[in-house]
Structure formats: structure tokens, C-alpha cells
Amino acid sequence: MAGKKAVAKKAAKKTLSKKWVYLFEQGNRDMRELLGGKGAGLAEMTNAKLPVPPGFTITTEACNAYTAAGKKFPKGMWEQTLAAMKAVEKKFGKKFGDPKNPLLVSVRSGAKFSMPGMMDTVLNLGLNSETLKGIAARTGNPRFAMDAYRRFISMFGRIVMGIEGKKFDAIFDGAKARSGAKADTDLDAKALEEVVAQFKGLYKKEIGAEFPEDPYKQLELAIGAVFGSWMGKRAVDYRRINKIPDNLGTAVNVCTMVFGNMGEDSGTGVAFTRDPGTGENELFGEYLVNAQGEDVVAGIRTPMKIAELKEKNSKVYNEFHKLARQMEKHYREMQDLEFTVERGKLWMLQTRTGKRTARAAVRVAVQMVNEGLITKEEAVQRVEPAQVVQLLMPQFDAAAKAEAAKQGNLLATGLNASPGAATGIAIFNPDAAEKLGKEGKSVVLVRYETSPEDVHGMYASKGILTQHGGATSHAAVVARGAGLPCVAGCEGIHVDEEKKIFTVGGKTVKEGDAISIDGGAGEVFLGEIKMVRPDFDKDEDLKTLLGWADEIRLRKSRKGMDNAPEVGLQVWANADYPRDARMAIRFGAQGIGLCRTEHMFFETDRLPIVQKMILSKTDEERQKYLDQLLPIQRGDFLGIFEAMGELPVVIRTIDPPLHEFLPSHEELLVQVTELRVRGDNPALLKEKEEMLKAVEGMREANPMLGLRGCRLGITMPQITKMQTRAIIEAACQLKKRGVNVHPEIMIPLVGHVNELKNQREITEAEAQQVIAEQGVELEYKIGTMIEIPRGALTANQIAEYAQFFSFGTNDLTQTTFGYSRDDAEGKFLLKYVESKILPENPFQQLDQTGVGRLMQIAVAEGRATRPNLKVGICGEHGGDPSSIEFCHRTGLNYVSCSPFRVPVARLAAAQAAVAQVAKDK
């Protein structure tokens, strides 16, 4: 017992001695995990001698301890908070709660990763009926004091106590209406005093108690509310979407209040050191005269552009411009800055890495390399693969857009808050937008102004349109981060969310009507507009960045790794047609990793021949139809070889069950029944009956594990021979033209070495015969897909007959998990991910511990038998960044993905190479 008491006493002492609170001057930029991004930024600016109001940060660890203890502050935290407040009082020369010289503070959240608008903030904390008098007396501005008080009561009531914001808004709007005020600033001190009284009455009615007068009680409740907001719905939704862990917690920043709402010589602003929409190297942001910070980001008033501040107050603008450049150079990264001007004095309130569009991310990265601020490796790391996807997203067709404008369908123009284009039905409620989005509908979310509670509907939409708000409003920030087009501050429209309409210029747009928005131009159109993809060939910044990525990923980044080539991953593409191959080359592919021959069989000019081949009763009859297919297949392969030139092309022999080329059993049954009832077409009835009989004869209980792949080639070797002949004849034709083609024939679904041995013997014999007939020398390879667990586990045997492996991770995932993909994704996989039974959908992101382990075994054992064995991946995972990183670590030679994702894979492969080099150091 004595021992247990000693341990408990020691633990209690450790808890009491733990540092929960840091003054700004005690932190730095490297303490993001503990102090959050905002706290680390404030600390760094303080230490750099920038004008930062004094304050302190309560750590993310305190938040996690608060949550774990059932919403109770950890021992010692409150005492440290009080001590920190004393230090701030001393530094600023004011006292918290002092009626004569009161110190007011803001209480703001700040997680390790930026989550704009997702958590809570309380301003003007410390105001009560007594300190209100002190503020009014010291400033000589009773209106300012009363305005600060009404803001505080409203924010505290909404955020800390959970009172609906619209109830406060209704009171305030009523006061404006009675006074005939158009703007908030038109209300005088007396009108605001009435608002404050009504706010307090609302608070008492809703909470059953008076509004708290004790500033320390206010502080205690506000800190708890900010901690609690970490697990609020909007914050949790944001983290799910952006894959941010729940266990990070948020810090709480308590900062001395400085006021931008003290008159015309005061104001507040948000600015980026570069344009977050385009990446242009110029200060970009907004400024509101006589306002507090939340007015800008909440979009309550439409602000002026930051450039206008230069005309109104050049001294402040020049000082801010200098500090902005200083911060960008210091962090070597584009910064997002918040600032306040109080009676002509500039105060810096925040610096953090600025969120930006995909276009801006690429441009800024390239510019900063050219400016000598960062290296090529850093530039490649700063652009997310998902942003490359966004750059390849559709835009409006220029002619169609011009025609829409000509027809009078341009409804209004607002702020170009986030670039890109979207067409969809107008929806006025975020819940409805989320529901329809999940159903696959294209939705444009229309709001008077967005709030953090709307985030789930915003992410489910194709685009966002708001009547109020600026380019740094919540809608704009979320849209840019998500790669969604957004038109904000579109004052020409009048949104009625209750009636689910907006009106503009005598026109009414109802919910369900089609609209189109151009986030790059800030334009709103009635109806749908044709979309087109951007021109990759003209995107010089992206091509430059991807060129650097290619340099990096093809360096010797894997020296010393077992069973791996020294250079990084090559990027190949999956292409079934010449047009796909040409697109792959255009996007930078270094080969074709998967050409699916069965897709060619579905073309209308050959499907009837394929069906007759399947229905043949004898080998002779089957061969007759295969002979008809031969020149068609040869032409298919010739087109792909021509497009790829001297780059390698992996062609997979036929894989799916043959019944997939025939009409469905259910459709045939209906047709036969109808023909029998009518009795007017005996010839067609006989044909359909034969087809039905053939389909019934081929039906399998589980066709994905039945007669397909190499099993089909073994039971019907004529198909393997025909396809081999078509491939080699096409290659020989090009070889005769002087093109050094590199065909690679891939046998699918091998689970036993004898299956590959059988198919290789057939393939090799046919290939050699064609080469002899053509009289040319031709190098080719024969390999296999590893997509059956037994194939991976016996890779040492299979490698005796395979010159290359390619992981078919779609089937390998199915057979490893025992899932039918079509059934699993439709019935339970989403539930599994939501319930955290699985971390991710394994068909979208490679299961590295299970499927990945099989891959590692296959690579190691395959290369133990054949050291120069080439290994790639050709499932959908070949375009997924986390799966690509795993492939790099596992020692694959290449990844193969859809042509459209080749640029993504090029970047992801380079990032994997950079990470590997950093790890090896």
C-alpha cells in the first residue's frame, strides 16, 4: 500500500509540476504540436520583436487532459493561467477586471493544423458593467465601449453557452431597423445600450441566470468552451474530410485585446503575402475600417481591398507591408496574417502558412525556387498531389460561356473567391446539399453567408455562392482549401434561405434550378454551361514543377535498400486504346503498365464475332472466329505501339469470364419468353434460345473466382495464341519501320507456378514462330500479375518463369480480404470506415499491413530467384499518393495508373524519394 501511495503521490506531483501554460515569449515556431499553429506563430512574432499584444497559450496537452477528465481542467492549469495573466498585466500596464484601467482579452483556439472557422473564439472578454465604464472613460468613446460589450455578450452567449446566434441577430437587426441604420456603425451609443440590455435579457431567459460579471468566471468558461469546440461537430467533420487525427487537441490563446473599432483611424484586416488564388507575388487581402477581426472573416460587412489601405493610411500600410515580407522571408513560406490598427498603431495578431488554391500552390512553389527562398525538393514537397488533380479539373468552355452571357444568363458578379467552375442545381441548405451530394447529384450551395456549421454541405457541393462575405471570408477559405469554386460577396443577388430562392434583376432562381458559377471570374449564370478540361500543355508552372519532380524521383534515392533498384519509381499508365496512350505520353508516362485486351472486345465492330467465338461448339469453329479477330486485335496493338514508340508496353491477355461478353441471363430470359408468347419470329427465337443456353452453361456461382484469366487461356489455348500473335505481329511491323518497340505480355490471375509455366510455353512458342515468319529480331518479355495471395506467397517459384511481376491490387485486395468489391462498397465498407473498423477503404488506399505484406513477400522472394526481376503495380492504387510511397519503400520499379493521374503519381513518387533521402540521413 505504501508503494502505491508513493507512486500516486509522485504522479500527482508530476501533474502539478507539468507546464500547461506558456507566455508568448516562451514559445517558438517549432512548438506547433504543443502550442498549436496560432500559438507558435504568436510566439515567433513576439520573439522577432514584431508588435504583438502580450498573451499566453494553454497547451494542446491541456485540451486532451480536459477531454479525458470529463471536461475538467487538469491540476495546476488554472493556477498557471492566473500567473500568466499577472505577467500580461505587468507587461501591458492594465489589470484584468480593474474598473478603472481594465485589461480585456481574446480567447481563441489554435490547433497544430489550420482549421479556419472550425473552432471557437471569444473577443472582448473581461467586460462587465464596471469595466465597461472604465473603457468608456479611458477611451473617451462610450459608443466604442458599448459596441465592444454587445459583441462580447453575443459571442459569449453563442459560443460559450450555446444560445442560437440568430436570436442575438434578430435583436440587433431590429435595433438597426428602428434606427434606420444601414450599417452596424450607424447605431449610436444609446441604441447600442438598448441592444446590450436586450442581449442580457435574452441570456437570462435562455440560461436562467444573469450574465456573468466576474471576469475570471468568464475566462474559465471561455477556455472550457474552446477546449470543447475541438470535439464539436463542425471541427470533427473538418478533421474527417482533411484526415486530421482527433488526438492532437487544440491550444487556447489568451491575448490582450487591441481594438479596430475605435473610429476611422482604426480597423482590422486579413492579408496574404501572395495572392492565394493565383499565387501572384503581391500583397492580397482585405481591410475594414472601424471593425473587429471577426467582422472580416465572418463576412458580416464587405471590406475594401488591402491596396486601398495604402491610400487611406500609407504609414500603416508601409509598416504592414514590411512586416509581411519579413515574415515570409523568415518562414520561407507564404503567410496568412491577421492584424488590427488601433488609433493608428499596427498590431500583429497572427501569422500562419496561408491556405491557397492548387494554382497558387504550384506558382508560389516555382516562384520561391526561382527567388532562391527554397530548394526544388522543398517546392515538390509543398504541393499536394490532390492539388495537381484540381489543376486538371474542368473549366467552362469559352464559347459556351460567351453564348450564355449573350443570351442574358449572366445573373450577377461577385468576388472571385476561389477559382474553378461548377454547374449544378441551386440548394440553399447544407444538410440538403450533403444528402444530394451523396446521391451523386451536382449541387451548388447558395447561402446568404456561410458559417462553420455549413462545412459538411460545402464539401458535398460542386461550388459555393454567397451574397455576403469577402475573399477571406469563411466560404472563400474553405472553398480554396477544398478546391471548390466559390463566388462570395455577390451583393447583386438577394438570398432568402427560408423560401429557398434568390432574386436578381427581376429574376427568381428556385431550389432545384440549374445554375453555373465561375469562381475565377466571380460570375453567376442561370442554367448549365458546357465544361472543358484545362490545357495541361500550356501550364508552364505545373510542367516546371513536375520536371523537378522527375529529376528528384529518378535519382538514386534507394541506395542500400534490400531488393530494390537504386533509382526512384518510374510512372507508367494504364491505357487500353491509342487515345489513352497518347494522353499518357502527354502527361509524362514512361510506359504502359496495363493494356486490358478485353476492353477492346466490347467494341461494336467486334462484339458479334467475340460472341460467336464463345458460342462455338468445336475448336475448328472457334478458330474461324479467332482468325477474324486477329487483324482487329493486331490493329489495336499497332495503334498503342505507335503512340508509345520505344517505351515499354505491358499487354494483359484476356482476364474476365467469357459470359461478360454475352447478354445478361435475365435479359435473355425475358426476350425468349416474349418471343415464345408472340410466336412470330422463329429464327430469332432459335438464336436467342441458343444464346440463353450458352449463358446458362457458363453461369458460375462466383465468376470472379471462376473460369477467367490464365484458367481461360489453359482451357482455351487458341485465345492465348491469337492474342500473342496479334501482339508480336504488331510489334514486328513497327520494328520493320525502325521503331525499337518493347512489348511485354502479362498472364493474369496466376496462383500456381504450373499455370504460368503452361501459358509461357504457349506464348513463347507462338511468339517465336511469328518472329521467324516476320524475319526480324524482337525483344519481348513474359510476366504475370500477382493478384492471388498464393501467387505472392510462392513468388520464388513463379519468378522462375516470369521476367516481371505486376501487382493487380484490385483483385489482390478482394482475395486477401475475402471481399467482393462491388458488394462490399455498396453494403458495408462505408460503415466499416465510419466505425473505424477499417482506417480507409482498402480499394482506394492500399492496405499496407495485409495486402502490402503480401507484396513485400512477393518482391523479396521473386528477386531472390531472379535478381533483375522488374516489379510494378497496375491496380487503382498506382495513382494513390500513400500507396505510391509504400511502393517506393517496397522497392517497386514503377507504378501504373490512369493517364489522368500520371501527373499526380509523378509528384507523389518524387515526394516519396525526398522522404526516403531524409530518412536515410
Side-chain angles (χ1 to χ4, degrees), residues 27 45 119 137 160 193 236 245 266 285-286 290 375 434 443 522 554 559 583 612 667 690 735 785 799 841 846 869:
M45 287 195 297
M119 292 178 294
V160 179
E193 187 176 357
V236 171
S266 303
E286 295 171 326
N290 197 17
T375 65
E434 182 182 45
V443 168
L554 297 177
K559 291 177 73 173
M583 181 182 289
K612 290 174 182 176
E667 288 177 8
E690 287 180 0
K735 192 69 187 288
M785 287 185 84
N841 180 340
L846 188 69
L869 183 73

Side-chain angles (χ1 to χ4, degrees), residues 637-656:
F637 301 139
L638 185 64
I640 289 175
F641 287 144
E642 286 174 335
M644 297 307 294
E646 298 190 357
L647 295 174
V649 177
V650 178
I651 299 173
R652 183 181 71 186
T653 55
I654 192 166
D655 183 44

Side-chain angles (χ1 to χ4, degrees), residues 817 819 824 827-842:
F817 275 94
Y819 294 164
K827 293 192 168 62
F828 64 84
L829 260 188
L830 180 61
K831 177 69 174 176
Y832 268 35
V833 174
E834 288 178 347
S835 304
K836 297 185 179 179
I837 292 172
L838 292 176
E840 302 289 343
N841 180 340

Side-chain angles (χ1 to χ4, degrees), residues 749-822:
L749 217 72
V750 168
H752 194 284
V753 63
N754 288 340
E755 291 175 317
L756 181 59
K757 182 182 177 184
N758 172 283
Q759 287 294 281
R760 172 154 187 168
E761 288 172 353
I762 294 170
T763 302
E764 192 89 65
E766 192 70 19
Q768 289 299 323
Q769 183 177 333
V770 173
I771 290 170
E773 292 169 359
Q774 296 291 323
V776 298
E777 291 185 5
L778 179 71
E779 290 186 8
Y780 62 92
K781 287 185 172 69
I782 298 174
T784 186
M785 287 185 84
I786 302 294
E787 50 190 334
I788 300 292
R790 193 181 188 281
L793 295 171
T794 59
N796 59 329
Q797 298 174 17
I798 290 173
E800 293 179 22
Y801 297 94
Q803 293 169 287
F804 66 89
F805 286 170
S806 182
F807 290 105
T809 48
N810 298 341
D811 273 342
L812 188 58
T813 298
Q814 287 197 104
T815 51
T816 301
F817 275 94
Y819 294 164
S820 162
R821 177 175 185 172
D822 292 341

Side-chain angles (χ1 to χ4, degrees), residues 85-86 88-90 92-104 131 216:
M85 184 65 82
K86 293 295 180 188
V88 170
E89 289 175 341
K90 184 176 180 181
F92 206 62
K94 295 183 179 182
K95 286 193 174 183
F96 191 57
D98 184 352
K100 294 183 178 179
N101 189 21
L103 173 73
L104 303 185
T131 57
Y216 284 99

